[in-house]
């Protein structure tokens, strides 16, 4: 398909494991073109050159930031570099889509938000799960009250690798779960407590177990690890009227809604026989909603282009990225304080 004349030019910074997915999406989309791919590693640039001969490649980000044909920078470099590169791109007048987590401190994250607002530019964070249709459907269910008042969330995100050196498993993996929980509950946690272990590299937690307390007594428990034999992306939401599960590994049927709960809340007294215990448990239907197949990253990239074109505020805007970083920073303090409950 021939592309129209003036479509946004995108520079993708970072062509490691994840960057090529972003390059592919912006390259194939009819309303964007990839003008530059920037990476420090010549071998990554060579691979990009072979796959996309029409795209310019370089190791110096300045070339992309100075190019007037570049409208937006898409940053998929290691987390510790996000702030510096995003700030430089915004100062150069480019819209920014930066991978999660947006930065490594709250002040850096808020600084990026202020920079973007001051320049009237789009700042979006790659919280890709917010563009997953099943995740969006759950939010609709929660807003409708399909499972009643939410009691707690249990979130598990494990795999063997990829092992990072610049951030721990919480900053790498829990960033997703925090973004999902904040989006679903339309809220922010008040406290965070976390414990973890560093077995591979000293001082970099490979597994983190955290509990977040949201307003109204809602709890979220997170288990993230890159040192685990199984790839699990599993969430359970327990509510007053029902329960639901999200399994990102089940591509065709990621959601299940359970009409299950405890109906008989007798007070005072206690359940003294197995029979009376059984009568208090409601074991209703299990519903599997139909969720059409889609690529969340494609939807995320399209949303970024839409926001550039219309000036709309992104679903995963800089402030939501900063909110996730605020939780991660509290978890980091808690890890250093033996699991102490920290204010977010
Ligand atoms: N949204 C998601 O689901 C998702 C999935 C994977 C990774 N990520 C994020 O994407 C980012 C990259 O992850 P990855 O797995 O691709 O890492 P990676 O280490 O495989 O790739 C990073 C690339 O950036 C390059 N690089 C490093 N510093 C640079 C600099 N200053 N300028 C230019 N290039 C530089 C490296 O040479 C490397 O090729 C991370 O922030 C990660 O959290 C997001």
């Amino acid at each position: 398909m021939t592309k129209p004349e003036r479509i946004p030019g995108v520079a993708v910074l970072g062509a490691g494991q994840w960057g090529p997915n972003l390059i592919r999406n912006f390259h194939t989309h009819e309303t964007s073109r990839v003008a530059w791919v920037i990476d420090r590693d010549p071998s990554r640039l060579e691979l990009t050159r072979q796959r996309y001969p029409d795209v310019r490649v370089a190791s110096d980000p300045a070339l992309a930031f100075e190019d007037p044909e570049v409208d937006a920078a898409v940053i998929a470099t290691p987390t510790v570099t996000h702030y510096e590169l995003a700030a430089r791109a915004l100062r150069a007048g480019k819209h920014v889509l930066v991978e999660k987590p947006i930065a490594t401190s709250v002040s850096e994250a808020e600084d990026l938000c202020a920079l973007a607002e001051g320049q009237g530019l789009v700042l979006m964070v790659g919280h890709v799960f917010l563009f997953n249709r099943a995740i969006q459907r759950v939010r609709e269910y929660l807003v409708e009250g399909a499972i009643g008042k939410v009691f707690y969330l249990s979130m598990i995100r494990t795999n063997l690798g990829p092992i990072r050196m610049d951030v721990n498993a919480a900053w790498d993996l829990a960033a997703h779960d925090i973004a999902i929980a904040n989006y679903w509950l339309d809220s922010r946690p008040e406290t965070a407590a976390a414990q973890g272990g560093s077995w591979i590299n000293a001082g970099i937690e490979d597994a983190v177990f955290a509990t977040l307390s949201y307003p109204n007594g809602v709890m979220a428990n997170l288990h993230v690890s890159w040192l685990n034999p199984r790839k699990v992306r599993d969430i359970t939401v327990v509510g007053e009227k029902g329960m639901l599960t999200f399994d990102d590994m089940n591509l065709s049927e990621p959601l299940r809604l359970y009409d299950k709960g405890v109906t008989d809340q007798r007070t005072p007294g206690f359940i003294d026989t197995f029979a009376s215990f059984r009568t208090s448990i409601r074991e209703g239907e299990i519903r599997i909603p139909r969720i059409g197949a889609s690529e969340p990253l494609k939807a995320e990239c399209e949303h970024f282009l839409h926001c550039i074109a219309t000036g709309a505020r992104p679903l995963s805007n800089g402030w939501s990225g900063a909110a996730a970083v605020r939780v991660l920073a509290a978890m980091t303090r808690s890890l250093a304080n033996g699991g102490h409950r920290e204010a977010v």
Side-chain angles (χ1 to χ4, degrees):
M1 182 190 299
T2 6
K3 300 189 178 193
E5 271 305 298
R6 183 65 182 113
I7 51 174
V10 173
V12 179
L13 285 75
Q17 294 300 311
W18 188 246
N21 297 320
L22 290 154
I23 298 169
R24 169 175 53 79
N25 268 294
F26 286 109
H27 191 268
T28 51
H29 201 274
E30 61 271 19
T31 63
S32 65
R33 64 186 184 88
V34 178
W36 288 95
V37 170
I38 307 290
D39 200 296
R40 272 187 179 166
D41 180 346
S43 68
R44 302 308 297 179
L45 294 180
E46 186 47 38
L47 277 174
T48 309
R49 205 193 323 257
Q50 284 168 16
R51 198 170 303 166
Y52 305 104
D54 57 325
V55 172
R56 281 171 293 177
V57 300
S59 57
D60 184 1
L63 291 172
F65 297 154
E66 286 162 9
D67 184 346
E69 293 199 355
V70 169
D71 300 280
V74 174
I75 299 169
T77 51
T79 298
V80 288
T81 65
H82 288 179
Y83 172 71
E84 190 227 319
L85 291 172
R88 283 177 67 189
L90 290 166
R91 287 198 191 97
K94 314 298 182 193
H95 302 286
V96 166
L97 168 58
V98 56
E99 263 312 327
K100 47 52 59 178
I102 183 173
T104 52
S105 74
V106 176
S107 58
E108 286 177 357
E110 292 184 349
D111 195 30
L112 292 179
C113 295
L115 257 175
E117 284 180 1
Q119 300 261 61
L121 294 165
V122 173
L123 172 61
M124 182 166 149
V125 189
H127 287 152
V128 67
F129 281 85
L130 304 198
F131 300 91
N132 178 307
R133 279 193 191 160
I135 294 283
Q136 293 177 340
R137 182 73 69 84
V138 171
R139 169 148 160 140
E140 288 163 21
Y141 290 143
L142 297 180
V143 169
E144 286 164 9
I147 62 164
K149 176 185 159 23
V150 173
F151 290 159
Y152 75 87
L153 279 63
S154 170
M155 315 178 94
I156 304 169
R157 188 175 296 274
T158 62
N159 199 5
L160 195 55
I163 295 150
R164 308 232 178 240
M165 297 294 286
D166 61 331
V167 290
N168 67 15
W171 285 81
D172 186 34
L173 302 170
H176 285 305
D177 297 302
I178 296 163
I180 293 169
N182 286 357
Y183 170 63
W184 278 355
L185 300 170
D186 200 9
S187 182
R188 306 282 186 259
E190 294 168 333
T191 65
Q195 287 185 287
S198 315
W199 299 279
I200 301 172
N201 291 298
I204 304 175
E205 284 80 6
D206 308 299
V208 174
F209 305 87
T211 304
L212 312 180
S213 302
Y214 283 82
N216 304 316
V218 182
M219 291 175 73
N221 189 262
L222 279 62
H223 168 199
V224 291
S225 174
W226 58 47
L227 186 56
N228 194 291
R230 285 189 307 143
K231 181 165 184 173
V232 179
R233 268 97 180 88
D234 196 76
I235 307 179
T236 303
V237 188
V238 172
E240 193 173 14
K241 291 197 309 192
M243 306 176 186
L244 64 84
T245 54
F246 166 74
D247 177 5
D248 196 39
M249 303 311 295
N250 186 340
L251 292 180
S252 57
E253 297 176 349
L255 290 184
R256 275 176 166 59
L257 276 104
Y258 298 79
D259 179 21
K260 287 190 180 202
V262 179
T263 47
D264 187 358
Q265 310 228 349
R266 281 159 292 179
T267 49
F270 60 96
I271 300 168
D272 57 348
T273 65
F274 184 60
S276 61
F277 170 73
R278 297 244 323 232
T279 58
S280 71
I281 298 291
R282 193 181 72 256
E283 291 264 16
E285 298 281 301
I286 300 172
R287 197 154 65 82
I288 302 176
R290 187 174 289 277
I291 310 285
S294 71
E295 187 191 355
L297 186 64
K298 180 167 185 254
E300 176 191 305
C301 295
E302 283 174 349
H303 184 66
F304 180 55
L305 294 171
H306 168 77
C307 291
I308 291 174
T310 63
R313 185 179 161 86
L315 175 62
S316 56
N317 56 66
W319 292 108
S320 65
V325 166
R326 188 171 286 281
V327 182
L328 291 166
M331 282 166 62
T332 303
R333 290 196 300 279
S334 178
L335 283 168
N337 287 332
H340 182 263
R341 199 165 159 184
E342 301 284 328
V344 171

